[in-house]
Amino acid sequence: MKQLPWRRLFAAALAVFAPLGASAAGDVSLDYAYYSPPSLVIRDQGWLEEHFAEQNRSVKWVLSRGSNNSLEFLNSGATQFALTSSISAFVSRANGQPVKTVYSYLWAEPSALVVPADSPIQSVDDIRGKRVAATKGTDPYFFLLRTLERHGLGSRDVRIVHLQHPEGRTALEQGRVDVWAGLDPHMAASEAGGARFVYRNPEFGLGAFLNTSERVLSEDPETVEAVLRAYERARQWIIAHPEETADLVARETGLPVEVIRLQLARYDFSRPIPGQAHLDAIRPVIPLLQADNILRGTADVEGTLDTLLAADIAERVVQDAAP
């Protein structure tokens, strides 16, 4: 039997061990999240499955519990698209990952500091030395850092307990932490259950991003465009169908629809094209990221801000979908 040249053998081995989603002709892999109503709408409606069936391609959905989770999937190659906070996307790229932001699926207050109804804590000044639950690498964690800085405190002035968002809520309700930097819809559920906000700040509003990798963007822009068209379709569907959206998210999350209405009331779906306003909202957080050693010492902050966004496809998609 004729032997294959070593280069062909090596290429075949790479194909076998390539990460999921790496092939432009293979499955389309992306995450969905309870904090991203558009992803739930797209998954429920089956728009991507319908589109890619014409190319004999399957769609693989992976549940994400937070931005850190989503970026792990994207950077490992398990998914081709990742739903994250804008700050998380910035940090990932600044620290060397080839993340590119292609769409902003919503704008919102990123978090709030939540305490039990009977807590003696009445202000941020009262949380010094307290146990605060937050998910490192996500918007609520960055919101916590920014809140502390605004009130003359630092991360060492509290006892940060690193828990994923649902576990943070549970820990608060069980009394294992004193404060929780919450994330919707878990935060809305806690609010509906009687918990109260000890600090909110709309000035800390941020975009939430849909990201892909440099490789997918350069090698398979058609897939990127198809996914963005689905997200833009979902954005317009949500605006036109608020009650149906609340019912859908409630069904997916298993939470009462009244809770989901609280969540959706905090979301702004009017800024889908990532741009300068999204970057300007990131800037005030950067010194805190550096002080907390979240950014590498060699991170090129300005270079990252200049190259994070790839908005050209979103601009075309939004314009084409305009009424």
Side-chain angles (χ1 to χ4, degrees):
M1 179 174 140
K2 184 177 179 181
Q3 293 186 339
L4 291 172
W6 70 268
R7 289 185 179 85
R8 291 175 62 189
L9 286 171
F10 182 67
L14 284 180
V16 170
F17 293 105
L20 294 174
S23 172
D27 294 347
V28 179
S29 50
L30 62 166
D31 66 342
Y32 69 103
Y34 298 144
Y35 51 80
S36 172
S39 71
L40 301 181
V41 170
I42 296 166
R43 184 168 174 264
D44 178 74
Q45 297 291 327
W47 295 328
L48 288 178
E49 286 81 357
E50 180 181 352
H51 175 83
F52 288 112
E54 299 175 1
Q55 305 172 19
N56 294 318
R57 300 173 70 185
S58 299
V59 176
K60 176 186 176 184
W61 293 96
V62 180
L63 177 63
S64 173
R65 299 197 298 168
S67 297
N68 56 333
N69 218 194
S70 297
L71 288 165
E72 288 169 4
F73 295 147
L74 179 67
N75 293 327
S76 70
T79 61
Q80 296 161 305
F81 298 89
L83 300 161
T84 74
S85 73
S86 56
I87 297 174
S88 298
F90 166 80
V91 169
S92 183
R93 184 167 182 85
N95 285 343
Q97 297 295 341
V99 173
K100 296 290 283 188
T101 295
V102 292
Y103 191 82
S104 180
Y105 64 87
L106 60 82
W107 183 281
E109 291 181 52
S111 182
L113 297 190
V114 186
V115 298
D118 59 354
S119 172
I121 295 172
Q122 299 297 324
S123 69
V124 176
D125 292 335
D126 295 335
I127 73 172
R128 185 188 294 270
K130 302 298 185 182
R131 298 161 299 175
V132 184
T135 307
K136 191 167 187 177
T138 67
D139 264 355
Y141 180 76
F142 303 134
F143 175 88
L144 172 62
L145 295 184
R146 199 170 180 186
T147 298
L148 292 171
E149 189 268 344
R150 174 66 64 91
H151 291 82
L153 301 172
S155 59
R156 295 182 180 180
D157 292 312
V158 297
R159 296 162 58 191
I160 299 178
V161 181
H162 298 289
L163 296 170
Q164 284 288 352
H165 306 299
E167 287 77 17
R169 176 193 169 194
T170 300
L172 183 75
E173 293 174 350
Q174 293 178 346
R176 293 186 284 116
V177 297
D178 305 294
V179 185
W180 169 46
L183 182 75
D184 283 323
H186 314 290
M187 187 167 68
S190 189
E191 179 186 6
R196 57 184 174 83
F197 296 155
V198 75
Y199 186 74
R200 292 178 66 180
N201 193 334
E203 292 179 15
F204 291 175
L206 294 165
F209 284 171
L210 174 67
N211 310 284
T212 189
S213 66
E214 289 181 350
R215 178 180 177 183
V216 171
L217 185 60
S218 64
E219 295 184 1
D220 198 3
E222 294 83 5
T223 292
V224 176
E225 182 167 337
V227 171
L228 264 62
R229 289 192 182 280
Y231 266 87
E232 179 59 14
R233 186 177 179 182
R235 183 182 73 88
Q236 295 192 14
W237 191 92
I238 289 169
I239 293 171
H241 303 88
E243 284 304 311
E244 292 92 333
T245 301
D247 290 340
L248 169 60
V249 178
R251 185 170 70 249
E252 289 284 337
T253 61
L255 294 170
V257 70
E258 293 79 11
V259 169
I260 302 306
R261 291 194 186 105
L262 289 174
Q263 172 191 3
L264 295 176
R266 290 193 269 267
Y267 288 173
D268 176 0
F269 295 100
S270 69
R271 314 184 196 190
I273 301 173
Q276 191 59 50
H278 296 79
L279 297 179
D280 289 344
I282 294 172
R283 279 190 179 277
V285 189
I286 293 175
L288 303 177
L289 302 176
Q290 293 170 322
D292 207 45
N293 296 317
I294 294 173
L295 291 181
R296 292 178 180 173
T298 58
D300 179 2
V301 168
E302 293 303 322
T304 300
L305 289 171
D306 288 343
T307 60
L308 175 62
L309 307 183
D312 54 325
I313 298 178
E315 290 172 353
R316 181 170 65 252
V317 165
V318 172
Q319 182 177 4
D320 289 348

